[in-house]
Amino acid sequence: MLRILRKYKISLLLLVLLGVSLVWWNQSRGFDNSAMDGIPVYADVDESSILESDSVNSKLEASYLSYYEEKQQDGAKDSSDFTLAIPSGDYKAISSEGTEVMTDLGGKPGKVLALKAEDSWVEYKFTVPADGLYQMGMEYYALPGKRSSIIRSVKIDGEYLFSQVKKMEFQRMWKESAEPWLDNQGNEFNPKREEVTGWQYREFRDAEARTADPFRFYLTKGEHTVKLEAIREPAALSELRIFSPEPLPTYAEVKQEYENKGYKPVQNQVIKIQAEESSLRSDPTLKRIEDREPLTEPFNKDAIVLNSFGGVGWRTGGQWAEWDFEIPESGLYNIAIRYGQWFLNGIPVERRIMIDGEVPFQELNALKFPYKAEWQVNKLGNEDGEYFFYLEQGKHTLRMEVQVSGVGGMIEAVLNTTHKMSLLGREITQVTGTNPDPNGDWQLEQNIPNLVPRLHLMARTLDDAVQDMYAFGVADGSSELSTLYEARDRFLEMAKDTSSIPGRLQQFTDLQSSLGLWVNGLMKQSIVMDYIEVKSEDQPWPKDAAPWYTRVGTMTYDFFSSFTKDYSGIGNTYKNEKVLDVWISRGRDWAEIIKQMVDEDFTPNTGIKVNVNIIPTLAADQKQILLLANTAGLAPDVALGVEGEVPIDFAVRNSLVNLNEFSDYQEVAERFRAGALIPYKYDNGDFALPENQNFTMLFYRKDIMAQLGISEKDIPNTWQEVMELIPVLQQNGMDFYYPHAPNNPSLAINEFAPFLFQYGGDFYKNNGMLSDLDSPEALTAMKMWTGLFTNYKLQKQADFYNRFRSGEMPIGVADYSTYILLSTAAPELTGWWGMKPMPGIEQADGQINRSTGGLAQTGIIFKDTDMKEESWEFLKWWTSADAQENFGSELESLLGVEARWNTANVEALKRLPWQQDDIDAIMEQWEWFKEREVVLGGYYTTRHIANIWNEIVLNGKFPREAMEQGVREINKELSKKREEFGIETSQTSSAKEEGGQK
């Protein structure tokens, strides 16, 4: 033994050292909670920036939390014993258009006032008896619109008192239109949701639920005015209520009241309410979902059962769901909720719980649902035991609403820090420029007031936010806090060595983006629910999760079943029948909607049965699968969701039906912009129909543009005007944005295309035989495109969304995805940003050519189909305005505004729930819609445009030289691919011409 130890002593010693190192690494790899030790605690440091007066926030109202804190510091108290209900018809003034007096609406006798158009308004006059804080609410009736929630703003005495009153949300009501439907394989599917009309009452609250209570407005004694403005969707108003706040009682007070009234616990009662059977909900996106945990009710190991409710769709502040239940005996009950909360690592989420329209006591105004990676049971109660609820015999309702108030203060602190970072970053770039020498002596501490204390204070704010998160109940070591820790540590490093800051500017910007994303993630507070149990105290509590061995058994069964189960089919599948085979390259949710529409609309009206299957959405995988299927003779009849560059690859192989064969093709083609059909033309044929398309627009911050002296009518219309604006922005520490994706060269062609088209150029000539990038127009376009980055020093890579929010990039060109982000995830900018058609080139006749494309996804018919006419009927139905509108509405109902369908059908796009100003701008841009031609070997054009940009911008090559080199390589590949498929090339064409001349 000793001999063995001596022989391997070096190896054993290394193993011991490795083990000690691993233990040390494991203990030290967490974040340092003592990092702020030794950092000064500043008392009266001036944190203000020299740019403060010019900042975005100087133009915006304070947040509600800041407003309320300021009023409290000034000694403001809640008013008392005041209630005023103002009938909607007793207005002082209304807008000249967009309002209507309606009679006997929704069973309410008498007249009510409706605000039906965007920007319509009504103003009321009222008097309060004393100085103090008041709350407000309104009774409203959602009128037919575009299915979105109602948004209103409110001005008191002509002013927005704080930013959140500019976007107050009032939800519609939705229910399931029928029971879930089953396909012929026994799988369950969500029914459609339909709107429920009726009068509702809601206080004026934060649309994001960052505060638990309704807004408190400070009003002085005497007369005031309140003005309601319609921002989105029509709704009628019955009455406006102004009242003194009424604090909720604590549970201890409610319990004492129960005892005083002699209420007793009931016996032998269990009422189970399945969460998926919600009777009413605020949003059509709230739906049934499947869960495979064995204790989730009901459970079917062989089929999909929608046995739970919520999940990732139930996460946005203010969203609520309601359940009906019946109590057999009056008395005191306990309530339990079986739920899953594994969405925010280590962070509890909150719900406001109401019974019969009222929050029973304070503790239920923001009830926590702790994190755990498995199912749990929330026994509604506190450290002293479970809560009792007195319920009378009969029908009751229980409502749960997403609440974010527990982390609202932390969110505000982090957002304030990102604002300070934005200002400090602009101050630094005013000293160093946008591309500073990291080794230069910039003397930042001398040039920027209180630089080190400001960095320390930002670090302390984030450290305080971390400690507050721990106090809130976040598990120690949660990865969700790593962003705060990292930003804090970087601030401390910068403060310790300010000379390192110029070399960290990109890191500084990235931290700002990371903090913005952290806030967005924290605001999404999802839970999934199995059931609610109302029970007597003598009955056992429900079990939380199935034993591990039961779960392992289910997982094992699912694993072996996966070898025989077909996961690609959607809905009813038909065998041994004449059936149209449709493959869809989209997510399962998308495909389920399409299949449901087919079964409810297309098949009953045409008699054509359809099987729907899913294929991968990645372009490369999609193309490979379709090519292999076509080669093997297994291609579908119709494919949807096909990327825009793919149809020509099949057309050249004679694998697709030329849609010109159908007599009504030209009529169908008129549904789209003519420029949208260009990529699908080949050899005088048309081989696809566009399903959706992107659009590129100019986004701008109204407040910052006004601050720079640029009015709405002066927003740039041409690239020349953009170039005149860029120096103004850069002198103020800001910048213009034009997209560039260095890590995705395939996007370069889309970034260059607008300049090429606007100068009258094109990518190809001679029917796609040769590149046309050696034309004078292409060279001019390339010089302008690359000149933005060489001459005007635009940033080569930036997170436009977050920097637009911070004000660093208050104007820029971006696509549809940015519109969705700003509409859904930037509530603080409501009313402060606009969208116009992208800049263009002024023509000799004074018109501005704004040409740009938006290549997206298509539908195609394979040539081997034996159901050609049926396939065309399907494609016509699918691309019709009615089907596209229906699909867009259902998709948005299922997945939210983030999934708004950007259909290529012009009429359908107008019908979807866009705001009027936005759709007008999109329609104006679409007047100039032009897409690039897709040709054989065109991937070389895509590749070399990216290479040309790199050569000019990064390597300093002359544009003409870079272009000529790129064109030579592109032409070689174009000829090579055409030769491969036996198609005429430029050489054979020249030879023919020479032969003809001889």
Side-chain angles (χ1 to χ4, degrees):
M1 183 68 178
L2 290 173
R3 192 185 309 117
I4 293 173
L5 289 174
R6 281 196 296 270
K7 183 177 180 181
Y8 295 105
K9 63 181 179 182
I10 301 298
S11 299
L12 291 171
L13 182 61
L14 288 173
L15 286 172
V16 170
L17 289 173
L18 179 61
V20 171
S21 299
L22 285 172
V23 171
W24 173 84
W25 173 79
N26 187 59
Q27 292 177 343
S28 62
R29 66 193 179 104
F31 287 97
D32 184 5
N33 283 317
S34 63
M36 297 305 296
D37 294 351
I39 301 300
V41 177
Y42 299 95
D44 298 315
V45 170
D46 181 8
E47 284 191 84
S48 63
S49 165
I50 58 173
L51 302 174
E52 196 76 52
S53 61
D54 295 331
S55 75
V56 180
N57 278 22
S58 68
K59 293 284 183 182
L60 299 175
E61 295 76 14
S63 70
Y64 172 68
L65 287 176
S66 298
Y67 167 85
Y68 183 46
E69 183 180 350
E70 179 186 342
K71 294 305 176 186
Q72 285 184 310
Q73 289 173 353
D74 292 341
K77 303 293 183 185
D78 284 351
S79 61
S80 59
D81 302 324
F82 178 80
T83 301
L84 174 66
I86 307 174
S88 63
D90 293 352
Y91 51 80
K92 174 190 172 186
I94 57 172
S95 56
S96 58
E97 295 180 352
T99 61
E100 180 184 343
V101 175
M102 307 180 77
T103 305
D104 299 328
L105 179 64
K108 186 177 287 294
K111 296 180 179 180
V112 296
L113 181 69
L115 301 183
K116 304 188 79 170
E118 293 174 13
D119 301 324
S120 59
W121 55 267
V122 59
E123 187 171 81
Y124 298 94
K125 185 185 292 185
F126 66 98
T127 302
V128 296
D131 296 355
L133 296 165
Y134 294 81
Q135 293 177 327
M136 299 184 188
M138 71 180 195
E139 190 175 19
Y140 69 97
Y141 186 101
L143 296 170
K146 294 186 175 181
R147 299 167 61 99
S148 300
S149 57
I150 293 96
I151 292 181
R152 296 291 182 263
S153 67
V154 64
K155 285 183 176 179
I156 306 295
D157 299 327
E159 294 183 359
Y160 297 119
L161 296 187
F162 41 89
S163 60
Q164 284 90 335
V165 292
K166 293 160 65 176
K167 184 184 179 182
M168 298 185 303
E169 195 162 1
F170 299 87
Q171 293 95 346
R172 296 176 181 272
M173 297 184 292
W174 301 84
K175 69 174 184 179
E176 294 179 336
S177 61
E179 290 296 312
W181 59 280
L182 299 175
D183 64 17
N184 55 12
Q185 302 166 74
N187 296 314
E188 199 171 48
F189 291 84
N190 271 291
K192 288 185 176 182
R193 271 73 69 204
E194 64 182 16
E195 188 173 356
V196 178
T197 57
W199 287 97
Q200 300 183 69
Y201 173 76
R202 188 170 178 83
E203 304 95 343
F204 292 176
R205 290 178 169 272
D206 182 4
E208 295 184 295
R210 282 199 241 166
T211 55
D213 295 327
F215 292 138
R216 283 172 162 83
F217 301 87
Y218 180 73
L219 302 173
T220 56
K221 177 181 178 180
E223 191 174 80
H224 297 273
T225 61
V226 55
K227 182 179 182 181
L228 280 172
E229 301 171 302
I231 307 299
R232 185 178 75 190
E233 293 285 69
L237 172 68
S238 168
E239 64 180 25
L240 178 70
R241 300 178 193 172
I242 302 163
F243 52 92
S244 297
E246 295 181 9
L248 289 168
T250 64
Y251 175 68
E253 293 169 338
V254 170
K255 185 178 180 183
Q256 185 62 53
E257 183 182 348
Y258 289 165
E259 292 175 1
N260 294 342
K261 292 182 177 180
Y263 294 155
K264 301 295 182 184
V266 296
Q267 301 291 316
N268 301 316
Q269 296 292 346
V270 176
I271 301 99
K272 185 173 285 188
I273 310 153
Q274 293 296 335
E276 64 271 18
E277 296 176 359
S278 166
S279 55
L280 211 59
R281 71 266 328 244
S282 64
D283 199 314
T285 60
L286 302 182
K287 60 187 177 74
R288 303 172 184 238
I289 60 175
E290 180 196 20
D291 182 76
R292 297 289 295 171
E293 211 270 358
L295 284 188
T296 305
E297 303 175 0
F299 183 77
N300 184 339
K301 60 185 177 65
D302 295 314
I304 294 172
V305 179
L306 302 178
N307 53 4
S308 51
F309 177 85
V312 293
W314 192 22
R315 65 186 185 183
T316 306
Q319 284 183 316
W320 55 261
E322 190 170 278
W323 293 266
D324 296 333
F325 62 101
E326 189 155 350
I327 292 296
E329 176 186 351
S330 298
L332 297 175
Y333 291 81
N334 297 138
I335 296 179
I337 299 172
R338 186 172 189 262
Y339 75 99
Q341 200 287 91
W342 40 73
F343 302 94
L344 286 176
N345 181 21
I347 299 179
V349 303
E350 295 175 309
R351 291 295 184 269
R352 185 160 72 112
I353 295 185
M354 306 173 73
I355 296 177
D356 299 329
E358 301 288 340
V359 178
F361 39 85
Q362 284 182 18
E363 288 82 350
L364 294 189
N365 208 26
L367 182 73
K368 290 181 186 176
F369 288 78
Y371 169 88
K372 195 176 183 181
E374 61 181 32
W375 282 93
Q376 304 177 70
V377 171
N378 191 330
K379 305 170 186 176
L380 273 57
N382 56 25
E383 62 276 4
D384 297 326
E386 286 72 38
Y387 299 138
F388 280 113
F389 298 84
Y390 179 74
L391 298 170
E392 292 276 1
Q393 180 183 3
K395 291 186 177 180
H396 296 269
T397 62
L398 186 146
R399 176 180 291 195
M400 294 176 63
E401 183 175 314
V402 180
Q403 185 64 264
V404 196
S405 60
V407 293
M410 286 81 94
I411 287 171
E412 179 132 336
V414 173
L415 289 176
N416 287 340
T417 299
T418 61
H419 171 61
K420 292 174 182 177
M421 290 175 70
S422 175
L423 294 175
L424 183 57
R426 286 168 58 189
E427 286 182 69
I428 293 169
T429 55
Q430 282 188 344
V431 175
T432 65
T434 54
N435 294 294
D437 178 359
N439 299 314
D441 183 11
W442 296 102
Q443 299 183 345
L444 293 179
E445 289 186 64
Q446 287 74 33
N447 288 303
I448 299 175
N450 295 318
L451 174 60
V452 171
R454 287 163 68 184
L455 288 167
H456 281 161
L457 286 166
M458 286 192 291
R460 190 168 296 283
T461 297
L462 296 185
D463 191 71
D464 289 344
V466 168
Q467 303 312 316
D468 289 343
M469 292 292 284
Y470 284 139
F472 177 65
V474 176
D476 190 18
S478 169
S479 61
E480 297 288 342
L481 301 183
S482 60
T483 300
L484 301 184
Y485 274 120
E486 183 180 359
R488 180 203 66 183
D489 292 348
R490 298 297 84 78
F491 292 152
L492 294 177
E493 290 169 6
M494 292 178 186
K496 187 175 182 179
D497 181 12
T498 57
S499 64
S500 69
I501 293 177
R504 291 173 177 259
L505 284 181
Q506 185 59 50
Q507 185 184 68
F508 198 70
T509 299
D510 292 343
L511 283 175
Q512 213 175 328
S513 298
S514 297
L515 289 171
L517 292 171
W518 181 83
V519 166
N520 290 342
L522 188 61
M523 294 288 290
K524 297 170 182 175
Q525 303 222 345
S526 301
I527 63 171
V528 59
M529 285 173 51
D530 181 14
Y531 56 76
I532 303 164
E533 190 170 281
V534 182
K535 70 174 196 66
S536 56
E537 66 170 344
D538 61 327
Q539 296 299 304
W541 293 95
K543 292 181 179 179
D544 45 14
W548 67 268
Y549 49 84
T550 306
R551 282 179 280 166
V552 169
T554 301
M555 291 168 61
T556 304
Y557 182 85
D558 288 346
F559 173 73
F560 285 107
S561 297
S562 68
F563 293 102
T564 57
K565 192 172 182 179
D566 179 14
Y567 290 94
S568 60
I570 295 290
N572 293 324
T573 56
Y574 305 97
K575 296 179 181 178
N576 304 319
E577 299 180 60
K578 187 176 183 182
V579 59
L580 195 67
D581 195 14
V582 177
W583 289 7
I584 300 176
S585 182
R586 290 197 176 91
R588 193 172 190 88
D589 287 330
W590 278 257
E592 285 179 1
I593 294 173
I594 295 172
K595 176 59 173 173
Q596 189 169 351
M597 289 172 57
V598 166
D599 289 346
E600 292 178 353
D601 182 18
F602 178 72
T603 299
N605 290 323
T606 62
I608 302 169
K609 294 181 178 178
V610 178
N611 279 341
V612 168
N613 292 276
I614 301 175
I615 60 173
T617 56
L618 288 175
D621 295 341
Q622 171 197 105
K623 181 178 176 181
Q624 185 73 11
I625 287 173
L626 290 173
L627 279 172
L628 289 173
N630 186 59
T631 303
L634 301 173
D637 301 299
V638 177
L640 301 180
V642 178
E643 293 299 325
E645 293 184 344
V646 172
I648 295 307
D649 282 329
F650 286 90
V652 76
R653 292 173 169 83
N654 196 29
S655 299
L656 299 184
V657 172
N658 181 355
L659 304 182
N660 280 314
E661 294 178 16
F662 303 108
S663 59
D664 54 351
Y665 169 73
Q666 291 303 324
E667 179 184 339
V668 172
E670 290 175 4
R671 298 170 176 175
F672 318 101
R673 294 293 182 197
L677 300 171
I678 292 173
Y680 320 122
K681 294 181 180 295
Y682 169 74
D683 195 23
N684 297 317
D686 293 270
F687 293 91
L689 289 180
E691 294 181 85
N692 58 1
Q693 63 190 44
N694 205 340
F695 51 80
T696 304
M697 308 290 288
L698 180 71
F699 296 87
Y700 61 95
R701 287 283 297 271
K702 297 178 181 179
D703 52 337
I704 298 179
M705 292 296 103
Q707 165 197 321
L708 296 173
I710 300 167
S711 65
E712 288 270 325
K713 64 181 180 61
D714 294 326
I715 297 297
N717 279 302
T718 67
W719 287 109
Q720 182 58 43
E721 291 172 356
V722 168
M723 292 172 185
E724 291 168 2
L725 173 64
I726 291 173
V728 177
L729 293 170
Q730 292 176 343
Q731 287 163 15
N732 286 275
M734 295 178 277
D735 212 346
F736 185 88
Y737 174 77
Y738 190 81
H740 178 62
N743 298 322
N744 191 353
S746 64
L747 296 180
I749 192 168
N750 298 328
E751 296 158 8
F752 173 58
F755 298 97
L756 180 64
F757 294 154
Q758 289 170 16
Y759 272 110
D762 218 327
F763 284 100
Y764 306 101
K765 57 188 175 185
N766 297 355
N767 291 322
M769 291 185 192
L770 295 170
S771 172
D772 200 23
L773 295 181
D774 54 359
S775 68
E777 294 84 0
L779 181 60
T780 304
M782 181 61 71
K783 286 179 179 177
M784 175 171 279
W785 179 41
T786 55
L788 291 173
F789 301 93
T790 55
N791 300 331
Y792 291 90
K793 304 297 182 185
L794 294 193
Q795 295 204 20
K796 302 175 184 66
Q797 186 176 12
D799 182 344
F800 179 55
Y801 162 66
N802 275 302
R803 301 186 76 173
F804 187 80
R805 289 180 72 181
S806 71
E808 292 176 277
M809 287 183 166
I811 185 169
V813 171
D815 66 2
Y816 160 79
S817 62
T818 299
Y819 173 86
I820 294 298
L821 274 173
L822 292 174
S823 299
T824 59
E828 77 279 8
L829 295 184
T830 299
W832 288 98
W833 64 274
M835 179 176 75
K836 286 192 173 184
M838 75 177 298
I841 303 297
E842 188 169 359
Q843 310 297 293
D845 61 0
Q847 270 198 318
I848 297 173
N849 186 333
R850 304 178 189 271
S851 296
T852 186
L855 194 63
Q857 295 164 318
T858 68
I860 56 178
I861 301 174
F862 280 89
K863 197 163 189 176
D864 287 344
T865 178
D866 57 357
M867 300 179 70
K868 186 182 293 186
E869 291 298 327
E870 292 89 342
S871 296
W872 177 235
E873 285 300 315
F874 177 84
L875 209 53
K876 284 196 299 182
W877 166 82
W878 169 240
T879 59
S880 68
D882 289 342
Q884 289 289 290
E885 179 193 10
N886 189 9
F887 176 72
S889 297
E890 287 300 314
L891 186 64
E892 196 164 331
S893 295
L894 183 70
L895 301 175
V897 181
E898 299 93 325
R900 180 167 294 170
W901 180 240
N902 50 327
T903 176
N905 185 301
V906 178
E907 178 59 31
L909 188 81
K910 293 177 182 177
R911 297 183 193 174
L912 291 173
W914 306 89
Q915 287 190 242
Q916 195 56 49
D917 288 348
D918 297 338
I919 195 65
D920 289 345
I922 294 169
M923 288 294 103
E924 185 180 349
Q925 180 62 61
W926 271 18
E927 290 294 331
W928 292 96
F929 193 90
K930 179 181 179 181
E931 195 43 81
R932 56 190 166 89
E933 186 181 0
V934 177
V935 302
L936 275 175
Y939 53 84
Y940 246 53
T941 303
T942 300
R943 182 182 306 172
H944 278 281
I945 285 175
N947 291 344
I948 291 167
W949 188 94
N950 290 335
E951 290 292 331
I952 297 170
V953 177
L954 303 182
N955 298 333
K957 185 173 281 190
F958 290 115
R960 182 180 293 278
E961 182 182 352
M963 290 283 276
E964 289 174 350
Q965 180 180 339
V967 168
R968 284 195 296 272
E969 297 301 320
I970 293 169
N971 284 339
K972 286 180 187 176
E973 188 66 16
L974 294 180
S975 294
K976 177 182 173 183
K977 294 302 290 185
R978 293 176 76 88
E979 286 176 8
E980 181 182 330
F981 285 91
I983 302 171
E984 184 180 24
T985 66
S986 57
Q987 290 85 356
T988 57
S989 176
S990 299
K992 282 183 181 179
E993 289 178 6
E994 289 175 6
Q997 290 171 357
K998 290 177 182 178

